[in-house]
Amino acid sequence: MSNEFSKIYEFGGFRFDARTNTLRRDDEPVSLSPKASELLKLLLERSGELVTKQEIFDVVWAETFVEDGVLTQNIYTLRQALGTDADGKQIIENVPRRGYRLNTPVVQKPDDTGKTPENEKAPELQKSESKASPVAAPGKPYIFRFLIIAAALIGVVLLSVIGYRFLATESSEASKNPIAELKFKQLTDTGDVSYLTVSPAGNRAAYTRGFEIYVRNLEAGDESKLKIENAARIGCLQFSPAGDAVYFGNVYNRDEKGSVFRVALTGGVPVEVAENVWSGFSLSPDGKELAFVRKFPAENRQRLVIKNLETGVEKMLASVNLPGEFYWNNYPAWSADGKKIALVVTDQTEHFAHLLIIENGAARELKLPNFRNVEQVVWSADANNLIAAANDGNNFQLWKISVADAAARRITNDLNSYLGISVSADRKKLLSRQRVYFSNIWVGKKDTGGNLRQLTEGTSRNDGLKGLVWIDDERIVYSTNDEKIRDWNLWLLNASDGTKRKLTDDAETQNDSPAIAPDRKTIYFASDRNRQSRIWRIDANGSGLPPAQVTFGEDETHHFPQISPDGKWLYFIIKSGRNSTVGRKSLTENSVQELSGKIKYAPGSFLSLSPDGRFLAFQNIAYESAANSAAPRLQAAILSTGNPDEVRFVEVEAWNQTLQWSADSRHFEFVAGNLKENEILRQPLENNLNRTQILPAAQGSIFNFAWSPSGENLALARGQLLRDVVLLVNFE
C-alpha cells in the first residue's frame, strides 16, 4: 500500500488509523499485534467483501509460509478485541472453507491533515493496490514477488494438502532441511489450553481448558468434557496404556507440590496414585511405573522418583542441586521400550540447555549447545533420537536431536511457538501446544477504572515480564527480552510520550528485577553476565557508564534486589545448593548477613519491601499448598526486617507469582483471575477477607504491575497468552 496518504476507518464505535496501524475505541487504544493490525486493515479495505484465506496469506504473510493456525489465532485475537455488534453477532464473519469478511458498516475518512484519502484515486489503481503486500516494496507486483520466492526455494519440496500448510525452510547452520511432508491440523481455537496428551493408540487427544479436561476423538472429531468429581485443579495429563483412563496432576506452578490422580474416561471420582509431586509426570509404557520430580525446597535439591504403582515402592534415580534444576513443566520421557528416560535440566550458570539420559540406572548428560531452552522431549521409535520443543534463540520450534552427538534437525520453522509435546506409541502422531505470548507496557492514573494508555507494542517481546518499576512519576524502568529468549535488557521509558532508551546492551544475558534507590539516581538489578546471577547497579539517567557489581559469593545466586527507604540496606534472595534465604547487605559498611530466624522458610519467585522498610514479602515454597483450590495459590511470607524471628504467612489466590505493597505499607496487592481475564485486588495485612478491587477485570493477562512513588500512577505489563492444540503427522 502507498504510504502517501493516511486512511481513517470508523466502524462500530472503533476508529482505525491505517497509517500507524492503531485501533481505538472511544478514544482509548486497543492492543493488537502487528499481524492482527494488518489483517484488520485488509478486512477494512475490503469492507463487506469476502476475503479468502489465500488472499489473507498473500497480503499479511507475504513471503512467509505458515499454517492455517496462525490465521485462526489472529482472527481469534481480533474477535476478542472487537467483540460483537448490537445484535450479538461477531463483527468478523467466518464463511466456512472460504474466508472472512466484516459484518458491520465501515466509513472511510481523510486523516487530520485533510489530505485526500486513497479511495478517491482511480478505481483501477485502487484495485491494484488492494492486493499489494504491506511489507513489500512500493509498487512491486505480486507475480514478481512470487517468482522471487519460488527462486529462493528451489530444491525444497513443497506439498500442498487441503486443510494443512507446509512449514518452510531452515534458518540456521545447526539445522537441516525441515520435514517435507509435515502436516498440521488445528484441534482447538479457544486460546486457553494448558496441558495436553495423545493416547498411545493415537485415536484420542485430551487437553485442559481452565481446570477441566476435554477428550477429542481424533477419527470422528467429536469432543466431550470429562466429568470429574472433587477435583478443582487439573495440571499435567497422561493416558493409560490402554487409553481407557486419564492420569492428571494438580501442580500448576514451579513452586508448589501436589498429587497425581487416575480417573476413567467415563468420569467419576479420581483415585490418588502419588503424592509430594513437584513437576509433570509420565507413565512407563506398560503403565506399571510413574516418573516425576520431588523437590526439597529448603535444601535446593531435586530428585527423579520412580514409583511402582502396583507395590507403592519408590526409588530415586537421579538428583540435582542448585544451580541445576529439573525443568518443572517438563515430564520425564520414557522410550518406547521403557529402558530409557530423558529429562530437561536447566542450569543458572549455563546459557544453553542440556538433558539427562538415564539407562539401566546410570545417568549421562547430553549438552545441547545450539539451544537456549528445551521445554519438552519425546523419544523417536528407535530411541536413537529425541523430538524436542526447543529454542535456538528466538521462538520454540520442533527439532529432531540425535542422542549420540546432539546433532539437531529442524522439523518446524514458522512464526509460532510449539511446546508441551506428546507422542503416540507408534510415534506417528504428535500433539503440540501452539503458543502466542507477549507483553506490553500500559500506564494510567489511579482510579481510572482501567482506562490505560499503551506505551509499547509488538508480539515478539515481553516488556516488563521480568521487572517493572517507576523511577519517579514520569520515568519507568523495565526488562524485556529484545526478541531473543536469552537477551533480557533494561530499558528506560518516558510515560508521558512513550520515548524509550536502552540502559543495558548484553547478548545472551538476563538483566532483570530492577529496583530504584531512594535518591532516584541508581538502579539495582539482577544479572547473570558472569554466568551466576548477582546484584549490579547502573546510573538511572543512562549515562553510559558500565554496570558495577554489588554482591559477590561462591556457589550461590542472588535475585530480586530491594533498597531500604534510607538507602542503607540492599535486600535480596540468596539461593545455593544448601538452602534459600533472604540476604541483607550494608551499602555503607559492605557487610552481608542472612535474615534467618527460628521459623524455617524458603523464598521463591519474588521479593517486595514495604515502603516504610519494615516488612519483606516473598513467596514461601516450603509449605503445604492447598492444591485443591480452583485458583492458583501462593503462600506469601511477611518477614520483619527488624526481627527475623517475626514471620507471618498469608495464602493468596494469585494468578501470577508477585505481590506489591500499597503506599501505606498496610496492604498488599496481587493479580487474580485466569488465562483470559485478570484484575488487581488489595488485601489488608491483618485481614485476608476484606479485599477491594484496585483494577477491574479486563480481557488479557497482567504479568506484572507497579505504582509510582506518589501512588498516583499505575504501570502494567499486560498482553496475551494464547495456547491451542495442533496435531502433527509425518514428523519423523
Side-chain angles (χ1 to χ4, degrees), residues 449-521:
N451 294 320
L452 305 174
R453 293 183 294 114
Q454 184 177 350
L455 294 185
T456 68
E457 60 183 26
T459 59
S460 57
R461 296 161 63 99
N462 290 300
D463 296 340
L465 195 70
K466 293 183 180 293
L468 178 67
V469 65
W470 294 79
I471 296 179
D472 46 40
D473 276 12
E474 288 293 329
R475 295 176 296 163
I476 297 170
V477 177
Y478 66 96
S479 179
T480 187
N481 63 338
D482 291 356
E483 303 181 359
K484 292 187 178 180
I485 198 71
R486 281 296 309 174
D487 295 356
W488 287 85
N489 281 291
L490 301 182
W491 286 72
L492 181 66
L493 175 67
N494 190 304
S496 60
D497 59 13
T499 57
K500 56 186 179 180
R501 183 172 70 237
K502 208 172 190 179
L503 295 178
T504 63
D505 192 9
D506 302 299
E508 298 191 4
T509 298
Q510 183 161 307
N511 302 295
D512 61 29
S513 308
I516 309 301
D519 61 7
R520 306 295 161 185
K521 296 180 180 180

Side-chain angles (χ1 to χ4, degrees), residues 267-283:
V269 179
V271 177
E272 186 180 56
V273 299
E275 59 182 4
N276 197 7
V277 176
W278 291 76
S279 69
F281 65 89
S282 61
L283 287 165

Side-chain angles (χ1 to χ4, degrees), residues 137-155:
K140 182 182 291 184
Y142 168 77
I143 186 66
F144 186 55
R145 290 198 312 276
F146 177 81
L147 291 175
I148 292 176
I149 300 169
L153 297 178
I154 289 176

Side-chain angles (χ1 to χ4, degrees), residues 31-75:
S31 176
L32 290 179
S33 70
K35 290 301 182 185
S37 296
E38 291 180 22
L39 175 54
L40 177 58
K41 181 196 295 186
L42 177 60
L43 294 174
L44 288 167
E45 290 172 345
R46 301 277 297 278
S47 174
E49 299 179 17
L50 177 69
V51 184
T52 68
K53 289 184 178 181
Q54 189 58 53
E55 288 177 305
I56 294 174
F57 281 115
D58 289 342
V59 173
V60 179
W61 285 276
E63 304 185 18
T64 304
F65 287 89
V66 293
E67 88 288 356
D68 287 347
V70 179
L71 173 57
T72 304
Q73 284 186 329
N74 278 273
I75 290 291

